[in-house]
Amino acid sequence: MKTCDLFSKKTVFSFEVFPPKKEIPVETVYPTLEKLSGLHPDFISVTCGAGGKGGNLTVEVASKIKSLNCETAAHLPCINLDKDEVLDTLQKLREHRIENILALRGDKTPGIEPKCVFPHASDLIAFIRQQTGDEFNIIGACYPEGHPNSKTLAEDIDHLKIKVDAGASELITQLFFDNRDFYNFLDKSTQAGIRVPIEAGIMPVTNKKQIERMVTLCGATLPLKFQKILTRYGHDNTALRDAGIAYAIDQIVDLLANGVDGVHIYTMNNPYVATRIADAIRTLL
Ligand code: FAD
């Protein structure tokens, strides 16, 4: 099923997972997938390291999710891929009946010179559409606070419009901690003529190291309310986990009350956290 068809029927609720590292057997992630699919999300997306050749492990994990009667989307970063490698990945996805692709540029991997065949995600999306028509549903990434490579949010949204015009049928946001950033982004995207559904990406923060790494990587702003939680509970893992879950639920309730198209949870492969959130918001979807 193409996930873009869900938005006209309901508020979409989805998860993100990552495959295990290459040296670890893929089966180790199966119990996590079983628990997450048991929460009945609308789909589970599977990340893909930009340094790989189109993500065999991603396809394997996505295929397992499908076998659990749960819809899935495979991430596909293109920075290190040429056209043949993209076509190979599309063929693998086809063989595994995976219809949804989160098409990404990805980031430079240390020690690997980018191929630059697809300089932007929009180039990958245009290529997939040109090669396969409507066979795949293509999802794009977007950034409520602007992508770090863009000088301004307005410039980034102009580029996002190119991505949508190239064939992205839905968007998922980078994580954010202040819903006002998301609403501002939605307004500006609408003004720019972007009409596809936009799912809000929410990361429940459960430990201090994780949040420090994430903020460095993606540049998300930490509101004062959130900083106070880190200061007060940062030394106590259980308290910080519970406060992080409560903060995420609070964000989601506000988003749902404001009619968000969907909520995508960055689960970090943690079924406990995903379960607490799913249980708290199920009746609100
Ligand atoms: P792009 O859309 O290409 O944008 C990158 C920059 O180029 C932006 O500044 C944009 O404004 C600009 N730009 C875009 N199009 C044009 C254009 N046509 N002309 C000029 N400038 C343009 N990374 C992974 O490696 N693996 C993953 O699985 C993964 N999953 C992700 C999932 C989500 C929901 C998100 C939000 C991000 C994910 N990332 C992942 C991270 C992502 O790869 C990085 O954020 C990367 O830096 C940008 O990818 P993009 O597809 O948004 O790039």
Side-chain angles (χ1 to χ4, degrees):
M1 183 216 301
K2 291 181 174 161
T3 55
C4 61
D5 293 335
L6 292 165
F7 292 91
S8 58
K9 300 178 192 129
K10 66 190 299 281
T11 308
V12 169
F13 179 59
S14 57
F15 294 149
E16 178 188 281
V17 297
F18 50 82
K21 291 204 173 89
K22 263 190 217 136
E23 54 279 11
I24 300 172
V26 68
E27 291 79 13
T28 53
V29 81
Y30 288 1
T32 297
L33 303 180
E34 280 154 18
K35 285 183 193 142
L36 290 176
S37 60
L39 298 172
H40 306 294
D42 291 304
F43 69 95
I44 301 178
S45 79
V46 187
T47 66
C48 177
K53 289 262 171 262
N56 284 339
L57 269 178
T58 298
V59 175
E60 220 172 315
V61 171
S63 181
K64 174 66 185 176
I65 292 168
K66 258 195 112 75
S67 78
L68 296 167
N69 285 326
C70 184
E71 198 41 76
T72 189
H75 295 208
L76 178 56
C78 60
I79 190 165
N80 295 316
L81 301 182
D82 60 27
K83 288 184 178 176
D84 285 342
E85 287 162 337
V86 169
L87 289 171
D88 279 354
T89 305
L90 296 179
Q91 182 54 28
K92 273 182 222 134
L93 294 171
R94 189 175 286 125
E95 282 161 12
H96 289 266
R97 295 179 302 105
I98 295 163
E99 291 174 88
N100 303 293
I101 300 172
L102 176 40
L104 298 147
R105 183 196 68 180
D107 291 309
K108 278 187 191 165
T109 312
I112 303 181
E113 201 47 45
K115 291 222 165 112
C116 298
V117 175
F118 304 103
H120 303 291
S122 52
D123 302 304
L124 173 67
I125 293 170
F127 179 72
I128 298 174
R129 282 278 179 246
Q130 183 226 330
Q131 293 292 319
T132 66
D134 286 337
E135 181 181 356
F136 293 100
N137 173 47
I138 305 177
I139 309 168
C142 61
Y143 302 83
E145 298 180 71
H147 187 278
N149 291 163
S150 291
K151 286 191 209 82
T152 61
L153 178 60
E155 178 192 285
D156 199 35
I157 289 177
D158 287 344
H159 296 151
L160 186 61
K161 177 77 166 66
I162 298 174
K163 188 183 290 197
V164 172
D165 290 346
S169 312
E170 63 186 275
L171 300 169
I172 300 179
T173 76
Q174 180 60 281
L175 59 94
F176 59 90
F177 297 104
D178 188 335
N179 287 1
R180 286 173 303 180
D181 291 328
F182 178 75
Y183 299 134
N184 174 50
F185 166 76
L186 276 193
D187 283 348
K188 293 203 160 77
S189 299
T190 306
Q191 282 163 25
I194 293 170
R195 299 280 180 265
V196 298
I198 302 181
E199 266 198 273
I202 298 293
M203 168 161 297
V205 171
T206 53
N207 73 64
K208 210 172 173 182
K209 262 202 197 128
Q210 170 203 358
I211 183 60
E212 283 162 359
R213 200 164 53 88
M214 279 299 161
V215 168
T216 316
L217 275 177
C218 74
T221 311
L222 285 184
L224 189 59
K225 184 176 164 189
F226 195 88
Q227 289 176 30
K228 284 185 177 168
I229 290 177
L230 285 181
T231 309
R232 170 107 199 220
Y233 302 114
H235 62 282
D236 179 338
N237 289 345
T238 308
L240 182 60
R241 181 198 67 196
D242 287 346
I245 292 171
Y247 190 95
I249 291 170
D250 199 36
Q251 264 192 291
I252 296 169
V253 171
D254 179 71
L255 290 165
L256 293 173
N258 279 281
V260 70
D261 293 319
V263 177
H264 188 69
I265 308 291
Y266 293 103
T267 70
M268 303 301 288
N269 291 15
N270 186 330
Y272 173 81
V273 173
T275 304
R276 293 243 333 241
I277 291 179
D279 287 349
I281 66 161
R282 191 160 303 284
T283 57
L284 312 180
L285 288 168

